[in-house]
Amino acid sequence: MLELQNLSFQVSDDSKGQKEIIRDLNLTFEDHTFIAITGPNGGGKSTLAKLIMGIEQPSSGRILFNGTDITDKNITQRAKLGISFAFQQPVRFKGIKVKDLITLAAGSQVKLPNVCDCLSKVGLCARDYINRDVDASLSGGELKRIEIASIIARNTPLSVFDEPEAGIDLWSFNNLIKVFEEMHASSENSLIIISHQERILNIADEIVVLAGGTVQARGRKEEILPELLKGTEGCRFYQQN
């Protein structure tokens, strides 16, 4: 279980002093849940994802993971505790092969058939990719799928995805929907996905609406999605901050 207690995050703003991105936020994510976090641009979604992973440190408040206070722990320590993170723009690694990246992600010596299986799940032919370098020769969509394959290989209790649909083609996006559904159905692990995409919101157990750095709404898709479909101007959740 992940608990965010009175979480705030501020950055320096030359014109306004301190700018508050996340404001006294309280959220609990139960085990084996698929939560989609959405909201208008600049509402604090990606910042929240980075706070969960330890890429950013909160100005105040606490983060607990399975009862352990991880507020002051760094990315590596959180990863060892069982949190995975997929960047909106995946990192390229010059000089490392796809098979080695997935093996490293798994944290143990993974047999080649298992590496191939992870690639197959994200719609990539292992024969064409296992010996490719994770560098600029890969397209954004290929890189995104390889990153998700590495998260599948890690098989951690919590995986956080920051806008996984960003920069990928329609075929890749359609395949990602199936990947997320399978990840949720086939394990006891939890998913938190930052997204604007209706199709991702539609397969989540719950939707959290974040705007102005605070939670404006939370509930099942049947309760939240119809209001979100009214758009930024018409959605009452976006007018509350």
mmCIF file of all heavy atoms in Angstrom, residues 51-72:
data_model
loop_
_atom_site.group_PDB
_atom_site.id
_atom_site.type_symbol
_atom_site.label_atom_id
_atom_site.label_comp_id
_atom_site.label_asym_id
_atom_site.label_seq_id
_atom_site.Cartn_x
_atom_site.Cartn_y
_atom_site.Cartn_z
ATOM 1 N N LEU A 51 7.587 12.493 -7.295
ATOM 2 C CA LEU A 51 7.672 12.457 -5.834
ATOM 3 C C LEU A 51 7.535 11.025 -5.322
ATOM 4 O O LEU A 51 8.238 10.615 -4.384
ATOM 5 C CB LEU A 51 6.573 13.334 -5.222
ATOM 6 C CG LEU A 51 6.755 14.852 -5.355
ATOM 7 C CD1 LEU A 51 5.476 15.567 -4.944
ATOM 8 C CD2 LEU A 51 7.934 15.333 -4.517
ATOM 9 N N ILE A 52 6.657 10.255 -5.933
ATOM 10 C CA ILE A 52 6.467 8.858 -5.525
ATOM 11 C C ILE A 52 7.748 8.063 -5.751
ATOM 12 O O ILE A 52 8.132 7.237 -4.915
ATOM 13 C CB ILE A 52 5.289 8.231 -6.289
ATOM 14 C CG1 ILE A 52 3.966 8.860 -5.846
ATOM 15 C CG2 ILE A 52 5.237 6.710 -6.073
ATOM 16 C CD1 ILE A 52 2.769 8.461 -6.693
ATOM 17 N N MET A 53 8.429 8.335 -6.870
ATOM 18 C CA MET A 53 9.631 7.571 -7.208
ATOM 19 C C MET A 53 10.878 8.098 -6.520
ATOM 20 O O MET A 53 11.873 7.397 -6.424
ATOM 21 C CB MET A 53 9.836 7.578 -8.729
ATOM 22 C CG MET A 53 10.876 6.584 -9.222
ATOM 23 S SD MET A 53 10.414 4.858 -8.915
ATOM 24 C CE MET A 53 11.896 4.248 -8.098
ATOM 25 N N GLY A 54 10.835 9.334 -6.032
ATOM 26 C CA GLY A 54 12.014 9.895 -5.374
ATOM 27 C C GLY A 54 12.881 10.728 -6.293
ATOM 28 O O GLY A 54 13.986 11.124 -5.919
ATOM 29 N N ILE A 55 12.382 11.015 -7.494
ATOM 30 C CA ILE A 55 13.111 11.886 -8.416
ATOM 31 C C ILE A 55 13.086 13.317 -7.886
ATOM 32 O O ILE A 55 14.040 14.072 -8.045
ATOM 33 C CB ILE A 55 12.498 11.803 -9.829
ATOM 34 C CG1 ILE A 55 12.617 10.369 -10.355
ATOM 35 C CG2 ILE A 55 13.163 12.787 -10.789
ATOM 36 C CD1 ILE A 55 11.807 10.095 -11.594
ATOM 37 N N GLU A 56 11.982 13.683 -7.265
ATOM 38 C CA GLU A 56 11.853 14.951 -6.552
ATOM 39 C C GLU A 56 11.568 14.658 -5.086
ATOM 40 O O GLU A 56 11.008 13.606 -4.752
ATOM 41 C CB GLU A 56 10.700 15.802 -7.118
ATOM 42 C CG GLU A 56 10.840 16.179 -8.579
ATOM 43 C CD GLU A 56 11.825 17.300 -8.803
ATOM 44 O OE1 GLU A 56 12.486 17.730 -7.841
ATOM 45 O OE2 GLU A 56 11.936 17.745 -9.965
ATOM 46 N N GLN A 57 11.975 15.565 -4.206
ATOM 47 C CA GLN A 57 11.723 15.410 -2.780
ATOM 48 C C GLN A 57 10.652 16.410 -2.337
ATOM 49 O O GLN A 57 10.701 17.584 -2.725
ATOM 50 C CB GLN A 57 13.011 15.650 -1.982
ATOM 51 C CG GLN A 57 14.060 14.561 -2.170
ATOM 52 C CD GLN A 57 13.597 13.210 -1.651
ATOM 53 O OE1 GLN A 57 12.995 13.123 -0.577
ATOM 54 N NE2 GLN A 57 13.852 12.153 -2.408
ATOM 55 N N PRO A 58 9.683 15.981 -1.531
ATOM 56 C CA PRO A 58 8.617 16.896 -1.112
ATOM 57 C C PRO A 58 9.129 18.010 -0.203
ATOM 58 O O PRO A 58 10.117 17.840 0.519
ATOM 59 C CB PRO A 58 7.644 15.976 -0.365
ATOM 60 C CG PRO A 58 8.491 14.838 0.121
ATOM 61 C CD PRO A 58 9.525 14.640 -0.944
ATOM 62 N N SER A 59 8.444 19.147 -0.258
ATOM 63 C CA SER A 59 8.767 20.249 0.655
ATOM 64 C C SER A 59 8.291 19.923 2.064
ATOM 65 O O SER A 59 8.891 20.352 3.056
ATOM 66 C CB SER A 59 8.098 21.540 0.164
ATOM 67 O OG SER A 59 8.467 21.821 -1.163
ATOM 68 N N SER A 60 7.199 19.174 2.155
ATOM 69 C CA SER A 60 6.678 18.728 3.445
ATOM 70 C C SER A 60 5.774 17.529 3.218
ATOM 71 O O SER A 60 5.371 17.233 2.094
ATOM 72 C CB SER A 60 5.890 19.852 4.136
ATOM 73 O OG SER A 60 4.784 20.250 3.351
ATOM 74 N N GLY A 61 5.450 16.826 4.313
ATOM 75 C CA GLY A 61 4.608 15.643 4.219
ATOM 76 C C GLY A 61 5.419 14.358 4.204
ATOM 77 O O GLY A 61 6.658 14.378 4.257
ATOM 78 N N ARG A 62 4.707 13.233 4.122
ATOM 79 C CA ARG A 62 5.365 11.928 4.174
ATOM 80 C C ARG A 62 4.834 11.016 3.072
ATOM 81 O O ARG A 62 3.689 11.138 2.634
ATOM 82 C CB ARG A 62 5.132 11.246 5.520
ATOM 83 C CG ARG A 62 5.716 11.970 6.724
ATOM 84 C CD ARG A 62 5.869 11.015 7.903
ATOM 85 N NE ARG A 62 4.636 10.292 8.196
ATOM 86 C CZ ARG A 62 4.598 9.173 8.945
ATOM 87 N NH1 ARG A 62 5.707 8.663 9.438
ATOM 88 N NH2 ARG A 62 3.443 8.584 9.202
ATOM 89 N N ILE A 63 5.699 10.064 2.666
ATOM 90 C CA ILE A 63 5.312 9.009 1.738
ATOM 91 C C ILE A 63 5.633 7.678 2.395
ATOM 92 O O ILE A 63 6.781 7.433 2.794
ATOM 93 C CB ILE A 63 6.071 9.120 0.402
ATOM 94 C CG1 ILE A 63 5.841 10.494 -0.236
ATOM 95 C CG2 ILE A 63 5.641 8.009 -0.560
ATOM 96 C CD1 ILE A 63 6.676 10.732 -1.479
ATOM 97 N N LEU A 64 4.625 6.820 2.515
ATOM 98 C CA LEU A 64 4.804 5.508 3.120
ATOM 99 C C LEU A 64 4.508 4.430 2.083
ATOM 100 O O LEU A 64 3.514 4.527 1.346
ATOM 101 C CB LEU A 64 3.882 5.310 4.323
ATOM 102 C CG LEU A 64 4.312 5.918 5.666
ATOM 103 C CD1 LEU A 64 4.218 7.434 5.621
ATOM 104 C CD2 LEU A 64 3.458 5.390 6.806
ATOM 105 N N PHE A 65 5.367 3.425 2.041
ATOM 106 C CA PHE A 65 5.170 2.297 1.130
ATOM 107 C C PHE A 65 5.197 1.009 1.940
ATOM 108 O O PHE A 65 6.200 0.678 2.562
ATOM 109 C CB PHE A 65 6.253 2.287 0.051
ATOM 110 C CG PHE A 65 6.090 1.195 -0.973
ATOM 111 C CD1 PHE A 65 4.929 1.102 -1.727
ATOM 112 C CD2 PHE A 65 7.092 0.272 -1.187
ATOM 113 C CE1 PHE A 65 4.767 0.094 -2.669
ATOM 114 C CE2 PHE A 65 6.957 -0.736 -2.125
ATOM 115 C CZ PHE A 65 5.790 -0.822 -2.872
ATOM 116 N N ASN A 66 4.074 0.340 1.971
ATOM 117 C CA ASN A 66 3.923 -0.879 2.784
ATOM 118 C C ASN A 66 4.343 -0.653 4.234
ATOM 119 O O ASN A 66 5.011 -1.491 4.846
ATOM 120 C CB ASN A 66 4.720 -2.041 2.170
ATOM 121 C CG ASN A 66 4.118 -2.512 0.856
ATOM 122 O OD1 ASN A 66 2.919 -2.357 0.622
ATOM 123 N ND2 ASN A 66 4.937 -3.072 -0.011
ATOM 124 N N GLY A 67 3.962 0.504 4.762
ATOM 125 C CA GLY A 67 4.221 0.824 6.164
ATOM 126 C C GLY A 67 5.578 1.441 6.440
ATOM 127 O O GLY A 67 5.835 1.905 7.556
ATOM 128 N N THR A 68 6.460 1.469 5.438
ATOM 129 C CA THR A 68 7.799 2.033 5.610
ATOM 130 C C THR A 68 7.821 3.479 5.117
ATOM 131 O O THR A 68 7.352 3.770 4.010
ATOM 132 C CB THR A 68 8.843 1.218 4.816
ATOM 133 O OG1 THR A 68 8.865 -0.124 5.304
ATOM 134 C CG2 THR A 68 10.228 1.825 4.949
ATOM 135 N N ASP A 69 8.360 4.375 5.930
ATOM 136 C CA ASP A 69 8.494 5.774 5.538
ATOM 137 C C ASP A 69 9.628 5.887 4.526
ATOM 138 O O ASP A 69 10.799 5.659 4.843
ATOM 139 C CB ASP A 69 8.791 6.637 6.763
ATOM 140 C CG ASP A 69 8.695 8.138 6.466
ATOM 141 O OD1 ASP A 69 8.886 8.519 5.292
ATOM 142 O OD2 ASP A 69 8.429 8.910 7.400
ATOM 143 N N ILE A 70 9.285 6.211 3.276
ATOM 144 C CA ILE A 70 10.301 6.307 2.223
ATOM 145 C C ILE A 70 10.553 7.754 1.800
ATOM 146 O O ILE A 70 11.228 8.002 0.801
ATOM 147 C CB ILE A 70 9.890 5.473 0.986
ATOM 148 C CG1 ILE A 70 8.597 6.015 0.355
ATOM 149 C CG2 ILE A 70 9.738 3.986 1.357
ATOM 150 C CD1 ILE A 70 8.264 5.385 -0.991
ATOM 151 N N THR A 71 10.049 8.696 2.579
ATOM 152 C CA THR A 71 10.133 10.113 2.207
ATOM 153 C C THR A 71 11.558 10.548 1.881
ATOM 154 O O THR A 71 11.789 11.285 0.924
ATOM 155 C CB THR A 71 9.582 11.002 3.342
ATOM 156 O OG1 THR A 71 8.305 10.507 3.754
ATOM 157 C CG2 THR A 71 9.432 12.432 2.870
ATOM 158 N N ASP A 72 12.515 10.099 2.657
ATOM 159 C CA ASP A 72 13.904 10.523 2.480
ATOM 160 C C ASP A 72 14.733 9.536 1.675
ATOM 161 O O ASP A 72 15.941 9.727 1.508
ATOM 162 C CB ASP A 72 14.563 10.745 3.847
ATOM 163 C CG ASP A 72 13.905 11.870 4.637
ATOM 164 O OD1 ASP A 72 13.482 12.851 3.993
ATOM 165 O OD2 ASP A 72 13.785 11.755 5.866
#
